[in-house]
Amino acid sequence: MIPYLPLKEITASYEPEITFALQQIVERGWFLLGEECASFEKEYAAYIGSRHCIACGNGYDALWLILRAYREAGILHDGDEVIVPANTFIASVLAITNNNLTPIFADVDPTTYLVGEKELREAVTPRTKAYMMVHLYGQCAYSDAIGTFCRERGIKIIEDNAQAHGSQYNNRRTGSLGDAAAHSFYPGKNLGALGDAGAVTTDDPTLADTIASLHNYGSHKKYIHNHAGINSRMDEFQAAILRIKLRRLDEDNNRRRAIARKYIENINNPHVRTPHIEKSDAHVFHIFPLMSAERDCLRQHLEAHGIQTQIHYPIPPHKQQCYQEWSHLTFPIAERLSREELSLPLHPLLTEAETDEIIAAVNSFQTV
Ligand SMILES: *Cc1c(COP(=O)(O)O)cnc(C)c1O
């Protein structure tokens, strides 16, 4: 069986460093807002190329904190419109609705699976105040044209960089391209913790200061509360693990790119489409999305050949039960992708023999 993501083996490949670091924290006896967290914030900000980094509890909280901080600053208000891709993980949308803001879904480009300039122009209204830019599957969704379009209209760009740590646009990393960015370090992400963790990056000192307060009960100074904040902190164990894994992130991403290139060059089954890649440094292949009108049969075929796959995502947010108010909307490309997407195993430990086996199995798929 080729597993979709062998987290146990991936974790073992960072030993003995992880166990050693965890042991040191136990001995130090300081578990929150300590030196590991402060060092991670500094190192991750430098990696992304942002002035500020605030470590927090998870990727959703990072998204929510950014929007909440803009509300605290009087930049966003109840009901303001935030554009979000119709093709994304629901966290991107929940951060908007849980801040009393209105999501405006934009359909995606059928070749990149991302919101492009055209889709953005179609979704924008005079009430648009922010654009939640999701670098889905690991591919950068920013362009200078989009940046200029938003800046001219005073639209804040909030990057959802949960899937794209290390991806680049003209030598600048995603997470440093918009006004603020949310990062998830969920275990399966390219940079993954061994539990929940997340971060915000931004160049905006006021926003950074508000978020640094908001994520710790709205307080900079113990028992002095300037904001009605929440508790969303990254613990010292996760920070230490992420510091170790960050050192190998570029190497891991390059390995992912090499596997993706091999898939694209060798998969030639007429019943499947491989992703279209414009620039290799703009993609870190958190997910390798195959598209097939026969997705469910293909999935069964691969399962029968001992290959585990995933679907990202089977139901788009606007068709979820919790969002019935938007279920009448249709976004044809996003909805088609939800029927056709199949994610192949792709991670830094995947061997040449395994990729050969996966390619052969995909190419041997026939429809009945
Ligand atoms: C994983 C993910 C999130 C949420 O991250 P968590 O750390 O699980 O809260 C948000 N957006 C996207 C696109 C994701 O893939």
Side-chain angles (χ1 to χ4, degrees):
M1 185 71 183
I2 301 179
Y4 181 71
L5 190 69
L7 268 182
K8 187 176 151 183
E9 285 74 15
I10 291 171
T11 307
S13 74
Y14 295 92
E15 292 290 18
E17 289 94 329
I18 287 182
T19 299
F20 180 70
L22 299 186
Q23 187 62 40
Q24 279 193 314
I25 294 165
V26 172
E27 282 164 23
R28 216 181 282 144
W30 188 278
F31 302 110
L32 285 168
L33 303 175
E35 59 187 81
E36 295 291 344
C37 187
S39 297
F40 173 73
E41 289 178 337
K42 212 184 276 165
E43 290 160 13
Y44 194 65
Y47 177 82
I48 292 296
S50 287
R51 283 200 199 108
H52 308 280
C53 172
I54 303 98
C56 65
N58 56 68
Y60 166 79
D61 283 354
L63 289 166
W64 185 90
L65 284 162
I66 293 168
L67 292 169
R68 175 61 189 245
Y70 278 132
R71 294 192 53 135
E72 296 286 307
I75 291 168
L76 293 178
H77 303 91
D78 274 356
D80 280 351
E81 292 183 359
V82 182
I83 294 174
V84 65
N87 182 34
T88 185
F89 179 58
I90 198 164
S92 324
V93 189
L94 284 170
I96 298 169
T97 56
N98 288 342
N99 262 302
N100 253 332
L101 303 165
T102 306
I104 300 296
F105 296 98
D107 209 350
V108 293
D109 180 284
T111 56
T112 62
Y113 317 138
L114 304 170
V115 170
E117 193 193 347
K118 172 175 163 282
E119 292 78 19
L120 190 64
R121 282 181 187 277
E122 283 166 8
V124 86
T125 80
R127 291 172 303 281
T128 307
K129 293 290 161 54
Y131 166 37
M132 178 79 77
M133 174 184 279
V134 185
H135 304 300
L136 197 74
Y137 303 145
Q139 179 157 235
C140 177
Y142 182 87
S143 68
D144 285 333
I146 289 175
T148 305
F149 178 84
C150 290
R151 233 167 291 120
E152 283 174 357
R153 287 162 183 78
I155 296 171
K156 296 285 184 197
I157 297 179
I158 297 154
E159 299 175 76
D160 180 339
N161 200 40
Q163 304 192 353
H165 325 122
S167 180
Q168 288 183 310
Y169 178 79
N170 291 347
N171 293 320
R172 286 160 63 206
R173 291 198 195 275
T174 57
S176 72
L177 301 168
D179 294 285
H183 309 257
S184 163
F185 308 116
Y186 177 83
K189 301 286 158 83
N190 287 29
L191 178 61
L194 301 185
D196 276 319
V200 173
T201 55
T202 181
D203 281 347
D204 178 342
T206 311
L207 192 78
D209 191 64
T210 307
I211 291 171
S213 164
L214 276 176
H215 89 116
N216 187 29
Y217 288 117
S219 166
H220 279 304
K221 208 170 154 216
K222 203 164 188 181
Y223 303 131
I224 307 294
H225 300 271
N226 307 103
H227 302 277
I230 61 170
N231 176 0
S232 180
R233 301 177 293 227
M234 183 191 290
D235 67 65
E236 289 285 282
F237 293 112
Q238 303 305 341
I241 290 160
L242 291 170
R243 291 182 67 203
I244 292 165
K245 294 180 90 171
L246 179 60
R247 292 183 218 127
R248 222 178 74 192
L249 180 59
D250 284 339
E251 187 187 325
D252 285 352
N253 282 341
N254 283 332
R255 178 69 196 134
R256 286 173 179 271
R257 288 184 179 115
I259 296 166
R261 203 177 316 122
K262 187 171 165 185
Y263 282 157
I264 291 168
E265 285 170 4
N266 294 285
I267 291 175
N268 54 22
N269 188 322
H271 301 293
V272 309
R273 300 189 307 285
T274 52
H276 167 82
I277 304 312
E278 277 168 28
K279 281 175 105 183
S280 83
D281 64 355
H283 209 318
V284 290
F285 293 98
H286 172 58
I287 284 166
F288 187 87
L290 269 189
M291 299 292 166
S292 174
E294 277 84 33
R295 189 260 313 273
D296 297 334
C297 295
L298 173 63
R299 189 173 200 200
Q300 275 177 14
H301 169 87
L302 294 177
E303 184 80 31
H305 283 73
I307 297 157
Q308 203 179 43
T309 57
Q310 296 282 343
I311 295 172
H312 298 92
Y313 298 92
I315 305 171
H318 70 283
K319 296 295 183 194
Q320 295 287 350
Q321 200 190 335
C322 62
Y323 283 149
Q324 277 173 20
E325 62 266 53
W326 295 300
S327 64
H328 64 284
L329 300 174
T330 48
F331 301 98
I333 307 299
E335 286 162 33
R336 197 181 86 207
L337 298 179
S338 73
R339 291 190 301 271
E340 298 194 344
E341 200 277 344
L342 189 68
S343 311
L344 293 184
L346 198 171
H347 58 81
L349 297 189
L350 203 65
T351 65
E352 292 299 328
E354 286 172 320
T355 53
D356 289 339
E357 208 178 312
I358 292 164
I359 291 163
V362 172
N363 286 340
S364 72
F365 172 64
Q366 290 177 317
T367 56
V368 278

